[in-house]
Each structure stands twice: as C-alpha cells, then as structure tokens.
Amino acid sequence: MKKKYIVIIIVALLALLIALFNNVIGFEWGMPKVNAEISNVPTITLSSADEILPDTSCFKKPQIVVLETVDESLLSEISRISSDGDQLFVLDRGLMEVLSFDMTGKYTGKISSKGQGPGEYIQISDFAVDTHQKQIILLCDIPNKIIRFTYDGRFIEEKGLDEYYSQLAVNEHHIYLEKVHNSDLETGQLHVINKETGKMIQTLDPIDIKNDLFISGNSLNRGKNILYVRRFDNAIYRIRNGYALKIYDLDFKKFTFPERLKQEERSEVILRECAENDYIYSMSNIVENGDHLMFTTNTGIFICNSRSKELKGYQYMVNPGWGVEFRSYVTLGNTDKIICTIDDPSHIKNAVERIPEERKTDQRFTEIVEVVAKLNEENNPILFIYDFID
C-alpha cells in the first residue's frame, strides 16, 4: 500500500514539474517557445522634438568612402551593409546581389547566384555576415531557404525553411529569423536556430495587428549586441542566448500610436491619421554605442540616452561641412556605427564645379574637391561612416 502511495506522489510531482516547465518556456508540441521577461523595465520618455540634428553633436568626423563604380559593381539601392575588419558587404535587394568592397571603396566581388538549383535563388530578403565562421548568409524568400557562401562567393551549403522570414541576424551560436507576417498569435515573432544542433525554437509573443503597413529599414541589427525593434511596439529588445529580452519601453507622449488603430485593416486610414498627428508606428535601424541608442521611425531620427533616460527626436541629420541632409541611415553590421549615403552624387559634383578655382584650395573645400575627383558620370553612392563620440 505504501508503495502505491509513493508512486502516486511521484507521478503527481512529475506532472507538476512538467506543467511548471511548460509555463516557464511556453512549450508547444512541435517547436518550443521561450519567453524571457524582466521586471521593472525602464521607460524612456520623449523630452524634445527638434528639426535638425547636427552630426557634430553626436559623432566624430565621418569616414568618407566612394564606392568604386564599374559595370560589375553598379548598385540600384543599398538595403543593408555589414562588415568584417576592412571588408564591406552591401545588400542590393533591387538587383538581388551582395557586393563586397574594401574600406577604400575598391570593388572586390559579389554574390549573384540567381537560378533554381542548389546554391541559387530567385529573391533575397536579407543577409548577414557571420564573422565567427567567416561566411555570408543569405536569407532567401523565393524559395524559402538559407544559403551559406564564403567571403569570396563560393557556395558552401543551403538549408530549406518551412515558411517566409523577412529579417536575419547571426552571432556565434544562433541564427535569428523574424516572422514579420504573423497572423498566428500562438507562434513567436522570432525563430531561433541553434547553429550547432540545427534545432529551432520561438521567442517573443507577436502583436495582434490587422494591417500590412511597414516602413523601410531593418528591424534586426547586430553591433556589439543584437538589437530588435518592430512595428507598433514602443519597445527595444536585446537578443541574447536564443531569446529576446525587453530592455526599454519608450514613451513618445502625444506622438504615441493609438491602440485602437492596431485593429484597423485599412492602411490608408492609418497613414492619414499618422500624417495628421505625427504618430509613430514603426522603428528600425537601431544601433547602440555606450549610453546612446539611435533609431529611425516613420517620422524621423531619434536618439536616447540610457543613463539620463532622455529621448530626443529630429526630422533629419545635417553635415554642415558638406551641406547635405540625411533623413535616414543604415547600421554598419557587426559594429556600433551608422552609414549615411549620398545616393546621387551628381549634385555634389555640380556644387564643386561652381566653386571658383582660387577657392578650391581652401581647407573647407579640400575634402569635397578630392572626393569629387574620384567620381564619374554614373557613380555609386558615397558613404559617410559615422562613429559616436566617446
């Protein structure tokens, strides 16, 4: 009789442990879901909204890179830039290619493997540079798969995916994929692949959204840490050890997106109300450097100080020396820097041509004159690589 009671007690304890385990990690039969939360997440509140951010207020003097322009290196757009040491890798979603340059701007090669066979793709949604394995990882959505290449473009292997993912980030142990169109509220927003075992888990509960409104930019960005932001969520997440951890809530005050509009299915209605009230519905291109966090939104550029808990918004950033305005940027992957671009350098060239010859030797114009001398008629964008002031 005593043995019978002991068995019943052991079974009950096991059932309790399983229930607790399922509750903690959000286990589902199939792919497990891991949700990590911390109590007392700090809130950073908007303190000011100005028009202009002078680049000298936050950044050191930018490094100017003129990307070499030859027939093989022509870019239609810059979707993401990542790096490893003195190598730059540029994703052009328009041409469905990843091009490589050195830090002087010299073109060194590209991945352009369009087709339907092994190691080939029809369309790329994102890419990442795995600095630990020295590989370029393509996230393809036609068909849905991940393809690995060496830095010089040689095919290594590929892995098929069961569904569409829009964004990609990678670190030493994991690959992170964003499931941006998430109508199934039971599955996680981010899917995580263990690089050693190949097993996949889910993390971060999705938001119940009824529309397909997006802005350009990248939601997953890797610097010292991998950071994540998403549409209709005023939070910043740090990605670590296979899960997403909320580190800050943001209060945009009167520009906060109304909860009622999340259930609005008509994008034109949302856009009209956002235009009338400057509501912020999406963040992207987040970068962290020391106490600074910087990101873009549908209304402009924001910088917050994690120590002072100040959040400031700007319509655009300006480089006074060049007289150019930047309304957006991309992060420089695997660093804590950002890159602003002059997509059409012809107006810079025209401006220099109007400078009198006797003034072109003036120190104020020397850098611009030297850069323009490298340009040709159909030039790739000029990169302004910015590093934060310490």
Side-chain angles (χ1 to χ4, degrees):
M1 184 66 70
K2 288 183 178 179
K3 289 183 178 180
K4 181 179 179 180
Y5 286 133
I6 290 172
V7 171
I8 292 173
I9 291 171
I10 291 173
V11 170
L13 287 172
L14 286 172
L16 178 61
L17 287 172
I18 291 171
L20 288 172
F21 178 76
N22 289 350
N23 185 57
V24 169
I25 72 167
F27 183 82
E28 296 176 2
W29 298 111
M31 191 193 309
K33 183 163 64 175
V34 179
N35 284 326
E37 296 182 2
I38 59 173
S39 58
N40 301 319
V41 174
T43 298
I44 301 178
T45 302
L46 183 67
S47 56
S48 65
D50 300 317
E51 183 178 5
I52 301 173
L53 170 65
D55 63 352
T56 52
S57 65
C58 297
F59 297 100
K60 301 174 185 177
K61 181 179 172 62
Q63 178 182 359
I64 311 296
V65 178
V66 179
L67 298 178
E68 183 182 9
T69 306
V70 294
D71 289 343
E72 296 79 11
S73 71
L74 279 173
L75 291 162
S76 68
E77 63 180 68
I78 292 178
S79 308
R80 187 191 285 275
I81 302 180
S82 196
S83 67
D84 188 4
D86 62 352
Q87 294 178 282
L88 294 173
F89 301 93
V90 182
L91 171 62
D92 184 333
R93 285 198 191 104
L95 296 177
M96 299 300 164
E97 297 175 341
V98 174
L99 295 88
S100 59
F101 302 84
D102 66 21
M103 289 301 291
T104 68
K106 181 177 176 57
Y107 170 69
T108 56
K110 68 179 174 181
I111 295 172
S112 181
S113 187
K114 304 181 188 73
Q116 300 182 41
E120 297 178 333
Y121 56 84
I122 303 298
Q123 191 162 292
I124 306 173
S125 56
D126 202 5
F127 95 114
V129 174
D130 187 338
T131 58
H132 299 281
Q133 296 183 292
K134 302 299 179 182
Q135 296 176 359
I136 296 172
I137 303 178
L138 299 189
L139 175 62
C140 309
D141 57 314
I142 302 180
N144 295 321
K145 61 181 178 179
I146 288 174
I147 312 178
R148 295 176 178 270
F149 294 88
T150 62
Y151 281 1
D152 59 3
R154 287 182 290 110
F155 169 64
I156 301 173
E157 63 178 5
E158 66 176 46
K159 175 182 174 60
L161 299 171
D162 293 333
E163 52 191 314
Y164 166 73
Y165 297 98
S166 62
Q167 294 270 296
L168 168 73
V170 60
N171 59 15
E172 185 176 0
H173 300 295
H174 297 95
I175 295 173
Y176 299 89
L177 304 167
E178 183 190 31
K179 186 179 179 182
V180 68
H181 295 286
N182 203 349
S183 57
D184 182 2
L185 298 180
E186 298 301 317
T187 64
Q189 187 87 56
L190 297 175
H191 292 185
V192 187
I193 300 174
N194 185 302
K195 289 166 65 176
E196 183 177 350
T197 66
K199 292 183 178 179
M200 182 181 284
I201 62 171
Q202 310 168 39
T203 185
L204 192 61
D205 290 331
I207 302 172
D208 186 12
I209 302 170
K210 303 300 183 185
N211 65 79
D212 292 319
L213 189 61
F214 298 91
I215 64 169
S216 61
N218 297 305
S219 55
L220 277 166
N221 293 276
R222 181 191 170 192
K224 181 180 179 181
N225 300 294
I226 297 177
L227 298 176
Y228 178 61
V229 289
R230 57 182 175 172
R231 64 193 186 119
F232 304 105
D233 186 359
N234 297 338
I236 297 172
Y237 299 87
R238 182 172 288 138
I239 310 297
R240 185 177 294 168
N241 300 326
Y243 57 82
L245 186 68
K246 184 194 289 190
I247 56 173
Y248 296 108
D249 279 314
L250 303 179
D251 180 2
F252 292 110
K253 300 179 77 170
K254 68 178 182 178
F255 307 116
T256 299
F257 188 81
E259 285 291 321
R260 61 178 173 81
L261 284 179
K262 289 182 181 178
Q263 300 303 303
E264 175 59 60
E265 297 182 2
R266 296 165 297 174
S267 295
E268 64 274 15
V269 173
I270 299 174
L271 287 173
R272 183 173 62 248
E273 287 208 37
C274 288
E276 292 172 353
N277 301 281
D278 289 328
Y279 290 145
I280 294 168
Y281 63 81
S282 189
M283 299 187 289
S284 60
N285 302 326
I286 185 164
V287 62
E288 180 179 31
N289 190 301
D291 296 330
H292 293 96
L293 284 157
M294 184 173 182
F295 55 89
T296 57
T297 73
N298 54 292
T299 65
I301 297 171
F302 285 78
I303 297 180
C304 62
N305 188 301
S306 58
R307 179 178 297 180
S308 65
K309 301 295 186 293
E310 287 185 318
L311 175 62
K312 297 181 179 181
Y314 305 90
Q315 292 183 24
Y316 57 90
M317 186 169 78
V318 64
N319 181 308
W322 281 65
V324 291
E325 300 173 359
F326 302 118
R327 295 187 177 270
S328 188
Y329 62 84
V330 293
T331 60
L332 177 56
N334 300 320
T335 78
D336 296 324
K337 302 177 182 180
I338 68 167
I339 297 181
C340 298
T341 62
I342 298 178
D343 295 325
D344 180 11
S346 61
H347 72 277
I348 297 293
K349 188 174 182 179
N350 294 335
V352 169
E353 289 175 352
R354 292 194 295 269
I355 300 175
E357 287 297 325
E358 63 274 12
R359 297 188 62 191
K360 288 184 179 179
T361 56
D362 190 310
Q363 188 175 0
R364 294 174 298 171
F365 305 116
T366 301
E367 183 179 49
I368 302 177
V369 172
E370 290 176 353
V371 168
V372 166
K374 301 177 183 179
L375 303 180
N376 55 33
E377 291 300 320
E378 190 175 358
N379 211 86
N380 274 328
I382 301 173
L383 308 184
F384 287 65
I385 303 177
Y386 281 101
D387 192 5
F388 284 85
I389 297 172
D390 297 329

